[in-house]
Amino acid sequence: MSADLGDRPKPKPIEECRDVYDVLEHVRLRPAMFVRNGSLEELMTLLNGYGIALHVHGVDEHSGLSPTGPFAQWLSRNHGWSMACGWARAITDHAEDVPPLEAFFRLLDEWRASTAAERTAAAES
């Protein structure tokens, strides 16, 4: 029997999202609403649109999620993956038995934790 829908975490209303990571929580909780077939290429398209909207409206937000940005550089450095086609293709190619979207969120969480730890260490020194 399926789990009670009331047990699932509920995202904040989309209009209350502060940044791309809040938007990505919507994707994490309800992937089929945002990303066809769990495709990371579809997710990249969504993120590109998000970035274009920021630029058009003069919002200065740097997520690090461009195809070859800081997240991709971290993946390359920590996993030795080529970023010639961007992080979406690299994760899809190396996801093995895990759905690529699930692998993305696991890696994103690891990257965000490592960058937070680096910032904390830098602030303490």
PDB file of all heavy atoms in Angstrom, residues 73-93:
ATOM      1  N   GLN A  73      33.269  21.563 -11.705  1.00  0.00           N
ATOM      2  CA  GLN A  73      34.694  21.498 -11.371  1.00  0.00           C
ATOM      3  C   GLN A  73      34.926  20.583 -10.168  1.00  0.00           C
ATOM      4  O   GLN A  73      35.890  19.818 -10.142  1.00  0.00           O
ATOM      5  CB  GLN A  73      35.225  22.905 -11.106  1.00  0.00           C
ATOM      6  CG  GLN A  73      35.223  23.762 -12.350  1.00  0.00           C
ATOM      7  CD  GLN A  73      35.410  25.236 -12.049  1.00  0.00           C
ATOM      8  OE1 GLN A  73      35.804  25.628 -10.950  1.00  0.00           O
ATOM      9  NE2 GLN A  73      35.121  26.075 -13.041  1.00  0.00           N
ATOM     10  N   TRP A  74      34.040  20.650  -9.178  1.00  0.00           N
ATOM     11  CA  TRP A  74      34.134  19.776  -8.007  1.00  0.00           C
ATOM     12  C   TRP A  74      33.969  18.312  -8.415  1.00  0.00           C
ATOM     13  O   TRP A  74      34.728  17.453  -7.960  1.00  0.00           O
ATOM     14  CB  TRP A  74      33.074  20.192  -6.980  1.00  0.00           C
ATOM     15  CG  TRP A  74      33.017  19.338  -5.767  1.00  0.00           C
ATOM     16  CD1 TRP A  74      33.789  19.450  -4.642  1.00  0.00           C
ATOM     17  CD2 TRP A  74      32.142  18.226  -5.541  1.00  0.00           C
ATOM     18  NE1 TRP A  74      33.433  18.478  -3.726  1.00  0.00           N
ATOM     19  CE2 TRP A  74      32.420  17.717  -4.261  1.00  0.00           C
ATOM     20  CE3 TRP A  74      31.135  17.616  -6.289  1.00  0.00           C
ATOM     21  CZ2 TRP A  74      31.742  16.629  -3.713  1.00  0.00           C
ATOM     22  CZ3 TRP A  74      30.457  16.542  -5.754  1.00  0.00           C
ATOM     23  CH2 TRP A  74      30.764  16.050  -4.485  1.00  0.00           C
ATOM     24  N   LEU A  75      32.984  18.045  -9.285  1.00  0.00           N
ATOM     25  CA  LEU A  75      32.789  16.673  -9.775  1.00  0.00           C
ATOM     26  C   LEU A  75      34.038  16.168 -10.487  1.00  0.00           C
ATOM     27  O   LEU A  75      34.475  15.038 -10.262  1.00  0.00           O
ATOM     28  CB  LEU A  75      31.589  16.596 -10.722  1.00  0.00           C
ATOM     29  CG  LEU A  75      30.212  16.716 -10.103  1.00  0.00           C
ATOM     30  CD1 LEU A  75      29.158  16.846 -11.199  1.00  0.00           C
ATOM     31  CD2 LEU A  75      29.905  15.523  -9.206  1.00  0.00           C
ATOM     32  N   SER A  76      34.602  16.998 -11.338  1.00  0.00           N
ATOM     33  CA  SER A  76      35.797  16.611 -12.084  1.00  0.00           C
ATOM     34  C   SER A  76      36.964  16.336 -11.142  1.00  0.00           C
ATOM     35  O   SER A  76      37.654  15.317 -11.270  1.00  0.00           O
ATOM     36  CB  SER A  76      36.160  17.708 -13.082  1.00  0.00           C
ATOM     37  OG  SER A  76      37.316  17.358 -13.790  1.00  0.00           O
ATOM     38  N   ARG A  77      37.151  17.228 -10.187  1.00  0.00           N
ATOM     39  CA  ARG A  77      38.265  17.097  -9.235  1.00  0.00           C
ATOM     40  C   ARG A  77      38.091  15.878  -8.321  1.00  0.00           C
ATOM     41  O   ARG A  77      39.034  15.145  -8.072  1.00  0.00           O
ATOM     42  CB  ARG A  77      38.347  18.383  -8.408  1.00  0.00           C
ATOM     43  CG  ARG A  77      39.540  18.527  -7.531  1.00  0.00           C
ATOM     44  CD  ARG A  77      39.644  19.912  -6.877  1.00  0.00           C
ATOM     45  NE  ARG A  77      38.453  20.319  -6.148  1.00  0.00           N
ATOM     46  CZ  ARG A  77      37.597  21.273  -6.554  1.00  0.00           C
ATOM     47  NH1 ARG A  77      37.806  21.922  -7.682  1.00  0.00           N
ATOM     48  NH2 ARG A  77      36.545  21.587  -5.835  1.00  0.00           N
ATOM     49  N   ASN A  78      36.871  15.648  -7.831  1.00  0.00           N
ATOM     50  CA  ASN A  78      36.644  14.591  -6.850  1.00  0.00           C
ATOM     51  C   ASN A  78      36.345  13.223  -7.449  1.00  0.00           C
ATOM     52  O   ASN A  78      36.539  12.216  -6.775  1.00  0.00           O
ATOM     53  CB  ASN A  78      35.520  14.984  -5.889  1.00  0.00           C
ATOM     54  CG  ASN A  78      35.973  16.061  -4.945  1.00  0.00           C
ATOM     55  OD1 ASN A  78      36.836  15.833  -4.111  1.00  0.00           O
ATOM     56  ND2 ASN A  78      35.427  17.252  -5.094  1.00  0.00           N
ATOM     57  N   HIS A  79      35.871  13.201  -8.691  1.00  0.00           N
ATOM     58  CA  HIS A  79      35.514  11.927  -9.315  1.00  0.00           C
ATOM     59  C   HIS A  79      36.307  11.632 -10.586  1.00  0.00           C
ATOM     60  O   HIS A  79      36.213  10.532 -11.126  1.00  0.00           O
ATOM     61  CB  HIS A  79      34.012  11.884  -9.620  1.00  0.00           C
ATOM     62  CG  HIS A  79      33.170  11.932  -8.388  1.00  0.00           C
ATOM     63  ND1 HIS A  79      32.916  10.818  -7.630  1.00  0.00           N
ATOM     64  CD2 HIS A  79      32.542  12.958  -7.774  1.00  0.00           C
ATOM     65  CE1 HIS A  79      32.161  11.157  -6.599  1.00  0.00           C
ATOM     66  NE2 HIS A  79      31.924  12.453  -6.659  1.00  0.00           N
ATOM     67  N   GLY A  80      37.050  12.625 -11.071  1.00  0.00           N
ATOM     68  CA  GLY A  80      37.856  12.431 -12.264  1.00  0.00           C
ATOM     69  C   GLY A  80      37.037  12.358 -13.544  1.00  0.00           C
ATOM     70  O   GLY A  80      37.502  11.828 -14.548  1.00  0.00           O
ATOM     71  N   TRP A  81      35.839  12.911 -13.514  1.00  0.00           N
ATOM     72  CA  TRP A  81      34.959  12.856 -14.686  1.00  0.00           C
ATOM     73  C   TRP A  81      35.237  14.023 -15.628  1.00  0.00           C
ATOM     74  O   TRP A  81      35.493  15.141 -15.198  1.00  0.00           O
ATOM     75  CB  TRP A  81      33.497  12.916 -14.272  1.00  0.00           C
ATOM     76  CG  TRP A  81      33.031  11.809 -13.382  1.00  0.00           C
ATOM     77  CD1 TRP A  81      33.644  10.610 -13.161  1.00  0.00           C
ATOM     78  CD2 TRP A  81      31.851  11.796 -12.584  1.00  0.00           C
ATOM     79  NE1 TRP A  81      32.914   9.848 -12.285  1.00  0.00           N
ATOM     80  CE2 TRP A  81      31.802  10.555 -11.913  1.00  0.00           C
ATOM     81  CE3 TRP A  81      30.821  12.703 -12.373  1.00  0.00           C
ATOM     82  CZ2 TRP A  81      30.769  10.200 -11.055  1.00  0.00           C
ATOM     83  CZ3 TRP A  81      29.794  12.359 -11.515  1.00  0.00           C
ATOM     84  CH2 TRP A  81      29.771  11.117 -10.872  1.00  0.00           C
ATOM     85  N   SER A  82      35.137  13.745 -16.917  1.00  0.00           N
ATOM     86  CA  SER A  82      35.242  14.801 -17.917  1.00  0.00           C
ATOM     87  C   SER A  82      33.983  15.675 -17.849  1.00  0.00           C
ATOM     88  O   SER A  82      32.877  15.169 -17.695  1.00  0.00           O
ATOM     89  CB  SER A  82      35.346  14.197 -19.315  1.00  0.00           C
ATOM     90  OG  SER A  82      35.193  15.217 -20.287  1.00  0.00           O
ATOM     91  N   MET A  83      34.183  16.965 -17.982  1.00  0.00           N
ATOM     92  CA  MET A  83      33.066  17.904 -17.998  1.00  0.00           C
ATOM     93  C   MET A  83      32.888  18.506 -19.391  1.00  0.00           C
ATOM     94  O   MET A  83      32.258  19.533 -19.551  1.00  0.00           O
ATOM     95  CB  MET A  83      33.296  19.020 -16.967  1.00  0.00           C
ATOM     96  CG  MET A  83      33.200  18.550 -15.541  1.00  0.00           C
ATOM     97  SD  MET A  83      31.548  17.926 -15.135  1.00  0.00           S
ATOM     98  CE  MET A  83      32.000  16.360 -14.418  1.00  0.00           C
ATOM     99  N   ALA A  84      33.435  17.827 -20.398  1.00  0.00           N
ATOM    100  CA  ALA A  84      33.356  18.331 -21.766  1.00  0.00           C
ATOM    101  C   ALA A  84      31.909  18.581 -22.201  1.00  0.00           C
ATOM    102  O   ALA A  84      31.637  19.507 -22.958  1.00  0.00           O
ATOM    103  CB  ALA A  84      34.023  17.355 -22.731  1.00  0.00           C
ATOM    104  N   CYS A  85      30.979  17.785 -21.709  1.00  0.00           N
ATOM    105  CA  CYS A  85      29.562  17.953 -22.057  1.00  0.00           C
ATOM    106  C   CYS A  85      28.745  18.430 -20.865  1.00  0.00           C
ATOM    107  O   CYS A  85      27.518  18.384 -20.898  1.00  0.00           O
ATOM    108  CB  CYS A  85      29.000  16.637 -22.593  1.00  0.00           C
ATOM    109  SG  CYS A  85      29.746  16.125 -24.144  1.00  0.00           S
ATOM    110  N   GLY A  86      29.407  18.874 -19.793  1.00  0.00           N
ATOM    111  CA  GLY A  86      28.715  19.396 -18.625  1.00  0.00           C
ATOM    112  C   GLY A  86      28.406  18.328 -17.591  1.00  0.00           C
ATOM    113  O   GLY A  86      28.540  17.128 -17.826  1.00  0.00           O
ATOM    114  N   TRP A  87      27.983  18.811 -16.412  1.00  0.00           N
ATOM    115  CA  TRP A  87      27.738  17.893 -15.304  1.00  0.00           C
ATOM    116  C   TRP A  87      26.541  16.979 -15.532  1.00  0.00           C
ATOM    117  O   TRP A  87      26.528  15.846 -15.065  1.00  0.00           O
ATOM    118  CB  TRP A  87      27.626  18.633 -13.974  1.00  0.00           C
ATOM    119  CG  TRP A  87      26.561  19.682 -13.876  1.00  0.00           C
ATOM    120  CD1 TRP A  87      26.749  21.034 -13.934  1.00  0.00           C
ATOM    121  CD2 TRP A  87      25.158  19.484 -13.677  1.00  0.00           C
ATOM    122  NE1 TRP A  87      25.544  21.684 -13.799  1.00  0.00           N
ATOM    123  CE2 TRP A  87      24.558  20.753 -13.634  1.00  0.00           C
ATOM    124  CE3 TRP A  87      24.349  18.368 -13.532  1.00  0.00           C
ATOM    125  CZ2 TRP A  87      23.180  20.943 -13.455  1.00  0.00           C
ATOM    126  CZ3 TRP A  87      22.971  18.543 -13.356  1.00  0.00           C
ATOM    127  CH2 TRP A  87      22.408  19.814 -13.315  1.00  0.00           C
ATOM    128  N   ALA A  88      25.531  17.439 -16.263  1.00  0.00           N
ATOM    129  CA  ALA A  88      24.346  16.597 -16.483  1.00  0.00           C
ATOM    130  C   ALA A  88      24.728  15.318 -17.228  1.00  0.00           C
ATOM    131  O   ALA A  88      24.334  14.212 -16.834  1.00  0.00           O
ATOM    132  CB  ALA A  88      23.277  17.369 -17.259  1.00  0.00           C
ATOM    133  N   ARG A  89      25.508  15.437 -18.282  1.00  0.00           N
ATOM    134  CA  ARG A  89      25.940  14.262 -19.043  1.00  0.00           C
ATOM    135  C   ARG A  89      26.889  13.407 -18.207  1.00  0.00           C
ATOM    136  O   ARG A  89      26.792  12.185 -18.193  1.00  0.00           O
ATOM    137  CB  ARG A  89      26.612  14.705 -20.342  1.00  0.00           C
ATOM    138  CG  ARG A  89      27.267  13.615 -21.165  1.00  0.00           C
ATOM    139  CD  ARG A  89      26.400  12.453 -21.623  1.00  0.00           C
ATOM    140  NE  ARG A  89      25.098  12.814 -22.072  1.00  0.00           N
ATOM    141  CZ  ARG A  89      24.026  12.014 -22.001  1.00  0.00           C
ATOM    142  NH1 ARG A  89      24.110  10.798 -21.515  1.00  0.00           N
ATOM    143  NH2 ARG A  89      22.856  12.419 -22.422  1.00  0.00           N
ATOM    144  N   ALA A  90      27.815  14.039 -17.470  1.00  0.00           N
ATOM    145  CA  ALA A  90      28.779  13.282 -16.665  1.00  0.00           C
ATOM    146  C   ALA A  90      28.072  12.443 -15.606  1.00  0.00           C
ATOM    147  O   ALA A  90      28.381  11.256 -15.433  1.00  0.00           O
ATOM    148  CB  ALA A  90      29.781  14.232 -16.012  1.00  0.00           C
ATOM    149  N   ILE A  91      27.114  13.036 -14.897  1.00  0.00           N
ATOM    150  CA  ILE A  91      26.383  12.277 -13.870  1.00  0.00           C
ATOM    151  C   ILE A  91      25.571  11.170 -14.510  1.00  0.00           C
ATOM    152  O   ILE A  91      25.573  10.031 -14.018  1.00  0.00           O
ATOM    153  CB  ILE A  91      25.492  13.205 -13.024  1.00  0.00           C
ATOM    154  CG1 ILE A  91      26.359  14.176 -12.213  1.00  0.00           C
ATOM    155  CG2 ILE A  91      24.583  12.385 -12.100  1.00  0.00           C
ATOM    156  CD1 ILE A  91      25.577  15.281 -11.529  1.00  0.00           C
ATOM    157  N   THR A  92      24.890  11.463 -15.599  1.00  0.00           N
ATOM    158  CA  THR A  92      24.093  10.449 -16.287  1.00  0.00           C
ATOM    159  C   THR A  92      24.972   9.285 -16.722  1.00  0.00           C
ATOM    160  O   THR A  92      24.613   8.119 -16.542  1.00  0.00           O
ATOM    161  CB  THR A  92      23.361  11.062 -17.499  1.00  0.00           C
ATOM    162  OG1 THR A  92      22.487  12.098 -17.026  1.00  0.00           O
ATOM    163  CG2 THR A  92      22.555  10.020 -18.248  1.00  0.00           C
ATOM    164  N   ASP A  93      26.142   9.585 -17.255  1.00  0.00           N
ATOM    165  CA  ASP A  93      27.048   8.541 -17.725  1.00  0.00           C
ATOM    166  C   ASP A  93      27.635   7.702 -16.598  1.00  0.00           C
ATOM    167  O   ASP A  93      28.027   6.555 -16.824  1.00  0.00           O
ATOM    168  CB  ASP A  93      28.197   9.157 -18.541  1.00  0.00           C
ATOM    169  CG  ASP A  93      27.750   9.666 -19.897  1.00  0.00           C
ATOM    170  OD1 ASP A  93      26.613   9.374 -20.323  1.00  0.00           O
ATOM    171  OD2 ASP A  93      28.550  10.396 -20.529  1.00  0.00           O
TER     172      ASP A  93
END
